[in-house]
Amino acid sequence: MMVRQAGKPSGPIVIAGDPRLSLLLSEEMMLCDDFDNVDARRVKDGLPDFSGEDIVTILDFVNYPYDSIPDTEEGRLSMREIAVKNALAALDTTVSCKVLILCSPLLARNGGDDVSEFFERLDCDVPVLYSADTSYSFSEACFTLMRDRKLFTHDIAYPAARLMMTIPDIDNSSFMAVRFSELLIPPSFTDTVGVIAPNTYVSYVQNKH
């Protein structure tokens, strides 16, 4: 069911991974205007490049920070599992993404290929963007990919943001994604969501009801 519903133009772009990096990317995609929305020329047209799109950001607080996971065989296996579980959260029926962005160089290095291959085995038509290169432009890559695959909604509206977050499951053996709540942010995350990504946060607050 989840696989059949995913990959449609009506679905959201999902960003998942490192909370701070994911928020920064969401904010960039809410505002960026690098392309002409009609013909995709690399010129500003006064409209956000992702106009009419829903951008869902899954903040993986449970496993933050990723660099605390040891660079050992066991640690790398753990990162691969984290990447796949974040991808499964993006396929959830409440999200049903059309593009998945793994927002973390460490997730990309240790789990990006696993997620891509996992989707292929599921016959899941959701492209996965990931890169261990910190200079990689996810917004540019996502725009180009969506243009090529005709995934834009073409709705006349500003981008809308939704926020989700990971929390431990009942027995703390794994984690699940739920709607974002400031009350559930762990003390180890000392940044403020509204400061890192003000437009994302305002859009989320306006649209969560």
Side-chain angles (χ1 to χ4, degrees):
M1 176 64 75
M2 294 188 297
V3 172
R4 291 200 300 270
Q5 291 181 341
K8 298 180 180 179
S10 58
I13 302 162
V14 177
I15 302 168
D18 179 288
R20 190 173 193 281
L21 295 179
S22 296
L23 285 167
L24 289 172
L25 178 57
S26 172
E27 191 71 359
E28 177 185 343
M29 294 178 70
M30 290 284 290
L31 301 174
C32 64
D33 177 18
D34 297 321
F35 297 91
D36 186 300
N37 289 36
V38 175
D39 57 22
R41 287 180 302 142
R42 198 175 181 84
V43 294
K44 297 181 182 297
D45 63 357
L47 295 171
D49 291 335
F50 295 96
S51 292
E53 299 300 324
D54 288 328
I55 301 170
V56 176
T57 305
I58 303 174
L59 308 173
D60 186 14
F61 287 119
V62 168
N63 303 293
Y64 169 85
Y66 295 145
D67 58 12
S68 67
I69 299 173
D71 187 17
T72 61
E73 183 176 349
E74 183 179 355
R76 290 188 289 273
L77 177 60
S78 177
M79 288 294 294
R80 294 172 68 185
E81 292 176 352
I82 290 168
V84 170
K85 287 178 179 178
N86 270 279
L88 285 172
L91 288 182
D92 184 274
T93 53
T94 61
V95 182
S96 300
C97 69
K98 63 182 173 186
V99 178
L100 172 62
I101 299 175
L102 291 179
C103 194
S104 160
L106 289 173
L107 272 190
R109 185 179 303 116
N110 296 292
D113 290 345
D114 292 284
V115 172
S116 185
E117 291 171 9
F118 179 57
F119 278 11
E120 288 180 13
R121 291 179 183 177
L122 290 177
D123 197 23
C124 176
D125 192 26
V126 173
V128 185
L129 295 175
Y130 56 95
S131 176
D133 182 354
T134 56
S135 66
Y136 181 79
S137 175
F138 282 112
S139 58
E140 180 177 343
C142 189
F143 181 91
T144 302
L145 182 148
M146 289 176 60
R147 183 84 182 187
D148 291 344
R149 297 186 59 158
K150 296 180 172 57
L151 288 174
F152 279 100
T153 63
H154 299 297
D155 291 343
I156 301 174
Y158 283 105
R162 281 192 281 157
L163 291 173
M164 299 183 70
M165 64 193 300
T166 60
I167 62 171
D169 63 9
I170 295 175
D171 60 3
N172 287 313
S173 63
S174 186
F175 61 92
M176 57 185 175
V178 299
R179 178 185 286 189
F180 172 78
S181 169
E182 289 181 299
L183 297 176
L184 299 177
I185 296 176
S188 59
F189 189 76
T190 56
D191 292 306
T192 304
V193 172
V195 172
I196 298 173
N199 291 278
T200 295
Y201 184 74
V202 168
S203 179
Y204 163 72
V205 171
Q206 291 175 340
N207 293 299
K208 70 177 181 178
H209 300 301

